[in-house]
Amino acid sequence: MDDEPRSVKVLLPGLLLLVGFGVAAELSVSVLGWGTPLIFAVLFGAVLSNTYGVPKSLEPGVDTYKLLLEIGIVLLGASISLSDVIDAGPRILGLTLAVVAFGILLVEFLARYVFGLSGRAPALLATGSSICGVSAVLAVAGTIDASENDIAYATATILVFDALTLVTFPIAGSVLDMSSVAFGIWSGLSMFSTGPVAAAGFAHSQTAGEWATLTKLTRNSLIGLVVLTYSFSYSLGSDKRTSPRTFWNQFPKFLIGFFLVAAIANFPGISTGFVDTVEMISDWLFVLAFVGLGCEIQAKNLRQTGIRPFLTVLLYLLIMATASFLVVQTIF
Amino acid sequence: MGNDSMKIQQDLSATSSVSTVHRWWYELERGWQATILGLALSLAALALA
């Protein structure tokens, strides 16, 4: 964050862009009669950023998409049936722990022993792939003193795969004829950043979007643990000390809001009118956030990605997506 | 003169209080901002339902 708070006047132009493209995305679905507004929202944002570019004066407002996405996720809690979560929870938690632990070891192995990467780069790629994309890269980078160069490569690689998986996962889910629940959990386990996971899920169906987000949130909740582990392992032999406070500092706090809203919505006697209204607000926030997400997708990231980090993550994704697909199809 | 001085004092304290809230909000972690705004919207929807 910058040092000085931003006024509404600075944020307004970019926010208006998100709203304008969001309304255009909704209209596109009405006029064409197919697709979902979320996909059009991402598409419009990506077209703008890769052609004319996002004007500097709009950037502060467009950057608020991350906050809009998190509010949308908090409100998505209203759509979650706690009994379903309690029923599927242990399986999802077990799968998530396995994916994160195996994923980190796999990327570290591939990066160091197959593609010859050294230093901090394997750790950044491992956390970016197995936990939650760019935010995990930055969280771990801060605790292991990674170089700017390593951070840039890892971030660019994750962003490229966010864009690639956003397109390929919904197609794969459709070709493989996956059920909504299975596709949602598969995307939540295999893809990288939270925004693209939710976008891919909702591109498949509303139910898939809800399960994709829930599964991804479970993965995100492990970020503190992974940062703590990396921080501890890199501090061995150095003067740096790590503490359990690191776990709390890195914990994604909007998860608390998500479960509070889920608790309100599942309270006996809560009307369906409440759930419908909250779902409508959440849907709109997702549309606005996905315009901003589209603005982050830039073809130039592909050129900035080193070939070895790219191949490391590609091989990881192919192995992990195949393994989690087989497990999810068997269990759910 | 005394009234003017009092008014300026009041204006200054109002400005300072707004900017303190603004700064507090700005420095709040994004996850907490999302939680607060999400809960506020939920409660508003609950009141309307």
Side-chain angles (χ1 to χ4, degrees):
Chain A
M1 278 193 178
D2 297 339
D3 293 326
E4 284 306 310
R6 285 169 173 157
S7 68
V8 174
K9 210 164 35 173
V10 174
L11 301 177
L12 198 59
L15 282 170
L16 287 175
L17 174 85
L18 300 185
V19 172
F21 276 13
V23 170
E26 292 279 353
L27 288 175
S28 301
V29 174
S30 303
V31 171
L32 297 171
W34 60 266
T36 77
L38 299 173
I39 293 300
F40 282 102
V42 174
L43 186 68
F44 291 159
V47 168
L48 173 71
S49 101
N50 287 281
T51 51
Y52 184 74
V54 179
K56 281 265 176 228
S57 58
L58 303 189
E59 281 179 1
V62 170
D63 275 349
T64 60
Y65 85 87
K66 292 167 192 153
L67 176 62
L68 300 178
L69 180 69
E70 290 185 3
I71 302 170
I73 292 173
V74 168
L75 295 180
L76 192 64
S79 312
I80 302 296
S81 156
L82 282 184
S83 58
D84 286 353
V85 172
I86 290 165
D87 180 42
R91 284 176 290 170
I92 291 182
L93 185 61
L95 274 175
T96 304
L97 283 168
V99 162
V100 170
F102 177 64
I104 286 176
L105 294 174
L106 180 61
V107 176
E108 286 272 3
F109 173 79
L110 291 172
R112 290 182 194 280
Y113 301 109
V114 178
F115 295 105
L117 292 168
S118 58
R120 267 54 172 168
L124 300 184
L125 290 173
T127 45
S129 310
S130 62
I131 298 275
C132 57
V134 173
S135 51
V137 170
L138 298 177
V140 168
T143 59
I144 63 172
D145 294 330
S147 70
E148 291 293 323
N149 202 36
D150 284 342
I151 296 171
Y153 271 124
T155 307
T157 307
I158 298 300
L159 287 173
V160 164
F161 279 95
D162 277 344
L164 291 177
T165 52
L166 180 57
V167 176
T168 52
F169 265 66
I171 295 172
S174 176
V175 169
L176 296 168
D177 196 25
M178 296 180 79
S179 72
S180 291
V181 174
F183 178 76
I185 295 172
W186 182 53
S187 310
L189 287 173
S190 313
M191 290 173 64
F192 300 161
S193 299
T194 307
V197 168
F202 284 114
H204 186 280
S205 68
Q206 177 74 24
T207 307
E210 289 165 8
W211 281 98
T213 308
L214 184 69
T215 309
K216 188 64 184 56
L217 293 183
T218 312
R219 245 169 94 196
N220 290 0
S221 68
L222 298 177
I223 185 174
L225 194 62
V226 172
V227 168
L228 191 66
T229 308
Y230 264 114
S231 172
F232 179 73
S233 99
Y234 275 80
S235 70
L236 291 174
S238 79
D239 293 338
K240 285 189 79 175
R241 287 286 172 267
T242 186
S243 75
R245 192 171 176 77
T246 311
F247 176 85
W248 175 245
N249 288 344
Q250 300 300 334
F251 185 80
K253 312 296 186 303
F254 64 95
L255 274 176
I256 296 167
F258 173 84
F259 284 111
L260 284 174
V261 173
I264 294 172
N266 283 269
F267 206 76
I270 289 292
S271 73
T272 52
F274 162 73
V275 176
D276 291 344
T277 308
V278 172
E279 277 182 357
M280 186 192 69
I281 301 171
S282 176
D283 287 348
W284 265 102
L285 287 169
F286 275 126
V287 171
L288 304 189
F290 285 1
V291 175
L293 181 73
C295 292
E296 292 261 298
I297 297 173
Q298 295 190 341
K300 69 179 181 189
N301 284 333
L302 194 58
R303 294 192 290 275
Q304 289 170 351
T305 309
I307 188 69
R308 287 184 297 165
F310 180 85
L311 290 176
T312 301
V313 176
L314 177 65
L315 196 51
Y316 157 83
L317 184 65
L318 290 174
I319 295 170
M320 189 55 80
T322 307
S324 56
F325 169 78
L326 294 173
V327 173
V328 166
Q329 287 291 75
T330 309
I331 296 181
F332 293 92
Chain B
M1 189 74 173
N3 284 343
D4 285 352
S5 161
M6 198 178 291
K7 188 169 183 316
I8 290 167
Q9 276 296 9
Q10 282 169 349
D11 287 349
L12 276 176
S13 76
T15 311
S16 143
S17 139
V18 167
S19 100
T20 304
V21 171
H22 192 180
R23 185 167 290 281
W24 168 80
W25 177 255
Y26 190 77
E27 287 173 357
L28 202 59
E29 212 174 305
R30 194 174 67 224
W32 283 125
Q33 291 179 340
T35 292
I36 292 168
L37 289 173
L39 282 173
L41 286 167
S42 297
L43 293 175
L46 199 58
L48 289 172

